Amino acid sequence: MDRQVNEELLRHFRRDLHQIPELDFDLPQTLVYVRRELEAAAEELRANAQEKGVNAEVRVFSPSRSALCLHVDLGTPHTTAFRSDMDALPVTEKTGVPYASTHEGRMHACGHDGHMAMVLGLAWWLAGHVDELRRSVLLVFQPAEETTGGAKVVCQSGVFDELGVDRIYGFHLWPDLPKGQVAGRAGALLAASNEITVRVHGRASHIAKASDGADALEATCDYLGRAYAYADARRREEAFLLKFGHMQAGQVRNQIAAEAVLEGSLRTFSVAMGKRARAELAELARTTAADHGCTADVVYSEGYPPVVNDQGLFEASTAWLRAGGIQVDEVAEPLLISEDFAWYQQWLPGDFMLLGTGTGIPLHADRFDFDEAVLMQGLAVYRRLAIME
């Protein structure tokens, strides 16, 4: 099959996938679509490289068989990986476009359909340009970016060790950047995210005999102020965010609260700071509660680590892209969202980039959309990185 890899093809991929959004690890239609395209591209590649000792194989893996990869094997000791996420969001689409979601209450509102289109486009480009490759290539399609971190499942599968993967690249469509702009930075790019729940245990009493009780509400309010002061101090060391958005306490207005619950989110940009902050905020909760005759428990979600681009890989890749006429702009400060691409960077050097859509429509919005022309810029980056030594 002689397929032209152009804007029309990427638009076709993206709009087909946009109509069949699926969630978490439950991606039956998406997997069928992606696998069909990868197997067709692999067949084309094998036909074009049959005398060169090059092989291409599609794999379905992970415990739920919900991850896919295409391995283009040149027999080299090292492999370059490119990642796409596949899952959508439980959002009811309100774009009104002809290619809108056909799955009620589900929508590709974060650009994963575009991410898949770029990597599928790369698969077809590789099929016709295998002579330009200097190392093997692995295209990874993973589930559950929006929920439990499907990237970690891919890493734990052992596929990177087995295939000699020593670098990985990925993109996220970014509405706040100009259309088609490619941007990144060495070091911390996106935040680690840990949800924090503080539960303070006191002792109830009538407010007329407040001294007989231990006021969990008062202790929690005191902790809130101390925790924000702590966050201000840490922010002077490196980027840091701690915010609480929900508190619940007590039963009635004229009784000292026996229990209070405070819920929020912690965002940090280094593993060391994340570990330190979690320990110190928990200790601060215990000491604050004790000052009010109460006790406190603090629980954190596991969350994702920070997305930290390997400095050596980022610098080499950026120089290689610029030498090929592709501009890469620098993100001035780390961003406060989180992304499970971070798990790949716990296993091997990775470079995660942003690709501007120029729309300003927020990620996860029910009207999220973009001009597919930007996907050609992302594909140009991937093509250039695929031929990097």
Side-chain angles (χ1 to χ4, degrees), residues 90-109:
V91 171
T92 298
E93 182 164 357
K94 295 182 180 179
T95 61
V97 296
Y99 49 88
S101 168
T102 60
H103 294 173
E104 186 176 354
R106 287 174 281 172
M107 178 190 176
H108 272 297

Side-chain angles (χ1 to χ4, degrees), residues 162-175:
E162 178 188 350
L163 301 181
V165 178
D166 63 353
R167 62 178 73 151
I168 187 167
Y169 297 100
F171 262 121
H172 205 301
L173 292 175
W174 203 251

Side-chain angles (χ1 to χ4, degrees), residues 222-303:
D222 189 10
Y223 174 74
L224 181 65
R226 296 189 197 187
Y228 281 169
Y230 172 88
D232 287 341
R234 296 292 77 73
R235 200 173 294 118
R236 290 192 285 271
E237 300 175 39
E238 63 178 71
F240 188 98
L241 176 72
L242 174 69
K243 284 294 180 183
F244 292 94
H246 180 251
M247 185 171 74
Q248 185 173 348
Q251 301 295 321
V252 293
R253 70 180 68 219
N254 62 346
Q255 183 187 68
I256 296 299
E259 184 174 86
V261 179
L262 185 63
E263 296 175 329
S265 185
L266 171 67
R267 302 287 169 103
T268 53
F269 291 91
S270 70
V271 172
M273 178 59 82
K275 183 177 180 180
R276 173 186 169 188
R278 290 193 297 273
E280 292 178 348
L281 285 166
E283 179 60 23
L284 182 60
R286 289 188 287 268
T287 57
T288 304
D291 288 345
H292 296 268
C294 300
T295 61
D297 303 316
V298 179
V299 176
Y300 297 97
S301 67
E302 180 182 23

Side-chain angles (χ1 to χ4, degrees), residues 23-28 31 60-68 86 142-144 148 150 153-154:
L23 307 179
D24 199 32
F25 287 91
D26 187 20
L27 310 169
L31 287 166
V60 183
F61 63 102
S62 84
S64 60
R65 298 185 63 76
S66 55
L68 281 169
M86 297 187 288
Q142 64 143 95
T148 54
V153 173
V154 174

Side-chain angles (χ1 to χ4, degrees), residues 37-80:
E37 290 298 331
L38 291 181
E39 288 180 340
E43 182 178 354
E44 180 80 6
L45 192 150
R46 287 191 294 267
N48 291 338
Q50 58 184 345
E51 297 178 0
K52 301 181 178 68
V54 177
N55 189 36
E57 177 188 9
V58 177
R59 297 186 180 195
V60 183
F61 63 102
S62 84
S64 60
R65 298 185 63 76
S66 55
L68 281 169
C69 69
L70 171 63
H71 182 215
V72 181
D73 184 8
L74 274 65
T76 58
H78 302 296
T79 299
T80 299

Side-chain angles (χ1 to χ4, degrees), residues 124-142:
W124 279 101
W125 182 85
L126 292 171
H129 295 80
V130 66
D131 287 345
E132 298 181 42
L133 302 180
R134 297 295 176 265
R135 22 165 57 228
S136 300
V137 174
L138 182 70
L139 308 185
V140 177
F141 291 80
Q142 64 143 95

